[in-house]
């Protein structure tokens, strides 16, 4: 589970900024919104982030996007001007990114620093954290030196030699991360202490799932499974979208080419071809969507791929509706339902503009369903929003509500509602819109000139 993030000199975050999921010890309400981790730590299941336009909400989401992108492929080219441009000095200063999290009953801090303008990694580290406040280094890497494994990590002679070889080979790599390198085709015995490199990498890569307003999900197996399709039909009807049923229909390659933009169609064909030729894979399935289409491809060795899509019925109409026929709000619900149906333990969902294209009541309905579906799961939901109607202590705890505000230099600061000592019967949305907590737009006057 996510414990805390730290970021410095990235987009609108100038000085070191921390965002924590550790619950307040002062709040006694909604104890089911906390999860006990270890003997002393309770982590929150939600974080709701409010702020005016351009306050830095999306930049908080971009922290996670940037972190995962760098872990996967090294410092992205597009990151070169993502340092905080409030000061000319920041161009040459390192930016810092760190995620603290719990996994298998242990706490870790993994992070790196980089001069973004030069696409140059200047540091990388992995620590195990203890609840008494102490920590143990697992490995560190400083600018222009090879990664060093801490002496406290016990290895066999052969494992130590393997690590030294990998570290030496990586010494000149200034754009990539060593944690990623230790996960490229390398296998370690199940009882090896080097396994920590792979378990940490797996959590960061696969257990932080990001949704932005333009996300296109790539895993829709729920829509092509008979058992869960019935559940989806029940779910979509509860949202009052007008859809009475969803079914699967087989289409051919020509139909798919008409559904998808040319470049996406070619990318899909290439991806299927790579998985089915020379990789030893005998079965392959891929799902995805664009703004107007839903598709699934299943391929068995020596057989033509099977391509399917979904069709909807509305009310008592005898006609089928395609995904592109649905409203933006309905299509958004299809995005969000994936979060309800995914049953991967210890997952953090990061959502930008959760309420996009949704009626406030639909947003509230989704949030209540999310809690129902994940009541017994170690699942966290962090989202940005403008929707003040859900700022309700019946829905969330005070320490789950956050605000981002920017100053006159366009520098963002983030703070929790818990710092304001509010009564439990306080109408929070009204107080927020009145400006009590900040993080709302501040308008200046404008006079229209009148022509003669």
């Amino acid at each position: 589970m996510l414990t805390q993030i730290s970021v410095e000199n990235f987009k609108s975050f100038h000085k070191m900024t921390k965002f924590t999921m550790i619950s307040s010890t002062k709040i006694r309400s909604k104890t089911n919104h906390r999860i006990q981790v270890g003997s002393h730590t309770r982590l929150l299941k939600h974080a709701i982030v409010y702020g005016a336009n351009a306050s830095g909400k999306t930049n908080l989401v971009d922290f996670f996007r940037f972190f995962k992108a760098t872990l996967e492929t090294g410092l992205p080219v597009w990151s070169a001007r993502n340092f905080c441009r409030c000061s000319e000095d920041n161009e040459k200063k390192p930016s810092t990114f760190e995620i603290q999290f719990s996994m298998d009953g242990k706490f870790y801090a993994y992070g790196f620093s980089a001069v973004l303008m030069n696409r140059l990694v200047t540091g990388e580290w992995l620590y195990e954290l203890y609840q008494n406040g102490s920590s143990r280094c697992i490995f560190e890497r400083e600018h222009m030196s090879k990664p060093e494994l801490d002496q406290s990590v016990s290895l066999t002679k052969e494992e130590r030699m393997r690590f030294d070889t990998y570290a030496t080979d990586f010494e000149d790599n200034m754009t990539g991360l060593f944690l990623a390198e230790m996960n490229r085709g390398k296998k370690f015995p199940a009882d090896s202490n080097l396994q920590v490199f792979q378990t940490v990498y797996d959590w960061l890569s696969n257990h932080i799932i990001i949704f932005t307003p333009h996300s296109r999900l790539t895993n829709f197996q729920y829509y092509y499974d008979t058992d869960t399709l019935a559940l989806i039909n029940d779910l979509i009807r509860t949202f009052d979208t007008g859809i009475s049923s969803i079914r699967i229909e087989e289409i051919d390659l020509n139909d798919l080419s008409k559904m998808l933009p040319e470049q996406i169609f070619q990318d899909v064909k290439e991806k299927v071809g790579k998985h089915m030729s020379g990789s030893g894979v005998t079965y392959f399935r891929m799902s995805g969507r664009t703004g107007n289409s839903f598709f699934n491809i299943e391929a068995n060795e020596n057989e033509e791929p099977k391509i399917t899509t979904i069709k909807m019925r509305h009310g008592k109409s005898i006609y089928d509706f395609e995904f592109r026929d649905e409203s933006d709000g309905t299509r958004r619900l299809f995005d969000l339902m994936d979060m309800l149906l995914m049953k991967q333990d210890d997952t953090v969902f990061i959502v930008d503009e959760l309420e996009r294209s949704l009626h406030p009541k639909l947003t509230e309905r989704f949030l209540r369903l999310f809690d129902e579906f994940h009541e017994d799961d170690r699942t966290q939901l962090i989202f940005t929003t403008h929707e003040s109607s859900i700022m309700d202590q019946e829905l969330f705890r005070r320490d789950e509500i956050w605000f981002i505000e920017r100053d006159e230099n366009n520098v963002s600061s983030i703070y929790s509602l818990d710092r304001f000592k509010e009564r439990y019967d306080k109408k929070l949305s009204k107080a927020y819109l009145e400006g009590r907590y900040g993080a709302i737009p501040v308008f200046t006057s404008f006079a229209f000139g009148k022509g003669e």
Side-chain angles (χ1 to χ4, degrees):
M1 296 186 70
L2 182 67
T3 305
Q4 177 177 283
I5 69 167
S6 303
V7 58
E8 181 178 12
N9 191 20
F10 177 69
K11 292 199 166 184
S12 59
F13 298 107
H14 177 39
K15 300 295 185 182
M16 180 62 73
T17 302
K18 298 180 185 292
F19 173 78
T20 181
M21 296 296 288
I22 298 174
S23 71
S24 169
T25 58
K26 300 172 291 184
I27 298 175
R28 305 299 180 189
S29 65
K30 291 202 165 290
T31 55
N32 62 324
H33 282 212
R34 304 179 305 183
I35 295 177
Q36 183 81 35
V37 181
S39 56
H40 298 97
T41 305
R42 293 184 178 92
L43 300 180
L44 295 166
K45 297 188 73 172
H46 314 87
I48 303 91
V49 183
Y50 287 91
N53 293 100
S55 60
K57 300 189 304 301
T58 297
N59 292 342
L60 182 68
V61 176
D62 284 345
F63 163 88
F64 292 99
R65 287 180 58 241
F66 174 79
F67 200 104
K68 285 169 64 73
T70 304
L71 194 59
E72 182 179 350
T73 61
L75 289 171
V77 174
W78 49 262
S79 68
R81 292 186 59 79
N82 279 349
F83 59 89
C84 183
R85 284 180 269 175
C86 70
S87 168
E88 187 177 348
D89 293 339
N90 284 345
E91 181 177 329
K92 297 178 181 179
K93 287 182 179 178
S95 301
T96 303
F97 309 86
E98 183 182 90
I99 293 180
Q100 295 182 17
F101 60 98
S102 70
M103 179 183 65
D104 299 330
K106 296 181 178 180
F107 291 85
Y108 296 94
Y110 171 74
F112 59 92
S113 60
V115 178
L116 298 180
M117 187 65 181
N118 298 333
R119 295 186 64 226
L120 185 68
V121 175
T122 57
E124 186 181 1
W125 57 89
L126 174 62
Y127 279 76
E128 183 177 353
L129 309 177
Y130 301 109
Q131 292 186 287
N132 63 5
S134 62
S135 62
R136 176 178 73 96
C137 176
I138 296 175
F139 91 92
E140 280 187 314
R141 167 191 173 201
E142 295 182 359
H143 183 45
M144 300 304 290
S145 64
K146 72 177 184 179
E148 296 288 343
L149 193 69
D150 194 79
Q151 291 300 314
S152 64
V153 181
S154 176
L155 297 179
T156 65
K157 184 178 180 180
E158 180 185 351
E159 288 171 341
R160 178 71 63 174
M161 289 177 62
R162 285 183 67 187
F163 179 87
D164 288 342
T165 299
Y166 298 148
T168 300
D169 290 345
F170 194 77
E171 187 171 0
D172 295 329
N173 191 325
M174 291 293 110
T175 62
L177 296 176
F178 186 64
L179 181 66
E181 181 63 25
M182 290 292 282
N183 283 270
R184 289 194 175 93
K186 298 174 177 61
K187 294 183 179 180
F188 307 112
D191 59 350
S192 171
N193 283 326
L194 291 178
Q195 277 286 347
V196 69
F197 285 91
Q198 297 186 337
T199 54
V200 166
Y201 180 87
D202 175 73
W203 192 89
L204 293 168
S205 297
N206 300 317
H207 292 257
I208 299 175
I209 300 175
I210 304 166
F211 295 79
T212 70
H214 307 292
S215 289
R216 299 294 176 254
L217 308 186
T218 56
N219 190 357
F220 297 106
Q221 70 267 32
Y222 316 107
Y223 296 89
Y224 301 95
D225 182 284
T226 304
D227 294 332
T228 53
L229 186 59
L231 175 59
I232 288 168
N233 271 291
D234 289 340
L235 265 176
I236 200 67
R237 284 193 287 267
T238 69
F239 285 111
D240 191 28
T241 61
I243 297 174
S244 55
S245 65
I246 301 171
R247 66 178 181 84
I248 305 304
E249 181 176 281
E250 189 168 347
I251 60 176
D252 60 27
L253 196 63
N254 185 51
D255 293 327
L256 182 64
S257 69
K258 294 176 182 177
M259 289 170 54
L260 302 177
E262 174 64 23
Q263 186 57 55
I264 294 179
F265 177 68
Q266 294 301 328
D267 290 346
V268 168
K269 284 180 60 179
E270 182 181 347
K271 189 172 183 179
V272 174
K274 282 183 178 178
H275 277 79
M276 298 304 295
S277 63
S279 62
V281 175
T282 58
Y283 175 78
F284 171 72
R285 180 159 87 172
M286 179 179 69
S287 303
R289 91 160 174 87
T290 67
N292 296 315
S293 62
F294 235 115
F295 66 91
N296 184 69
I297 301 173
E298 292 180 85
N300 282 294
E301 193 175 30
N302 302 322
E303 293 182 7
E304 285 293 314
K306 179 183 178 182
I307 308 170
T308 51
T309 188
I310 61 172
K311 295 291 180 70
M312 277 73 69
R313 285 284 175 91
H314 285 222
K316 297 180 180 180
S317 173
I318 63 172
Y319 299 102
D320 286 328
F321 289 79
E322 297 183 7
F323 190 69
R324 66 186 178 193
D325 297 325
E326 301 300 331
S327 69
D328 287 342
T330 298
R331 284 182 282 182
R332 178 61 164 168
L333 283 174
F334 277 85
D335 288 351
L336 300 182
M337 279 197 298
D338 200 64
M339 288 190 282
L340 300 180
L341 299 166
M342 185 177 291
K343 284 295 183 181
Q344 175 178 268
D345 192 35
D346 195 8
T347 297
V348 185
F349 293 109
I350 314 290
V351 188
D352 196 17
E353 297 182 23
L354 178 77
E355 82 287 1
R356 181 178 61 85
S357 301
L358 297 181
H359 187 279
K361 287 295 182 184
L362 272 180
T363 304
E364 180 182 342
R365 172 67 174 160
F366 167 77
L367 291 169
R368 292 189 185 279
L369 281 174
F370 184 89
D371 280 353
E372 285 182 35
F373 273 73
H374 296 292
E375 182 177 8
D376 300 320
D377 302 334
R378 300 166 72 85
T379 302
Q380 293 170 299
L381 173 62
I382 300 171
F383 65 93
T384 69
T385 184
H386 294 288
E387 185 51 70
S388 61
S389 67
I390 59 173
M391 190 188 291
D392 189 334
Q393 291 179 95
E394 182 186 336
L395 280 175
F396 300 111
R397 295 160 51 100
R398 287 202 311 269
D399 53 356
E400 293 179 307
I401 298 174
W402 290 78
F403 303 102
I404 287 185
E405 190 169 51
R406 74 177 190 272
D407 63 17
E408 65 277 6
N409 295 315
N410 287 321
V411 170
S412 296
S413 58
I414 185 166
Y415 51 93
S416 171
L417 175 66
D418 190 41
R419 87 181 202 186
F420 299 91
K421 310 304 179 187
E422 298 290 21
R423 304 189 317 269
Y424 281 91
D425 60 351
K426 182 79 172 181
K427 185 67 174 177
L428 297 179
S429 59
K430 182 174 183 292
Y432 169 59
L433 293 176
E434 289 174 348
R436 175 175 170 81
Y437 314 125
I440 62 171
V442 178
F443 304 113
T444 58
S445 60
F446 178 81
F448 283 97
K450 293 184 179 181
E452 294 182 4

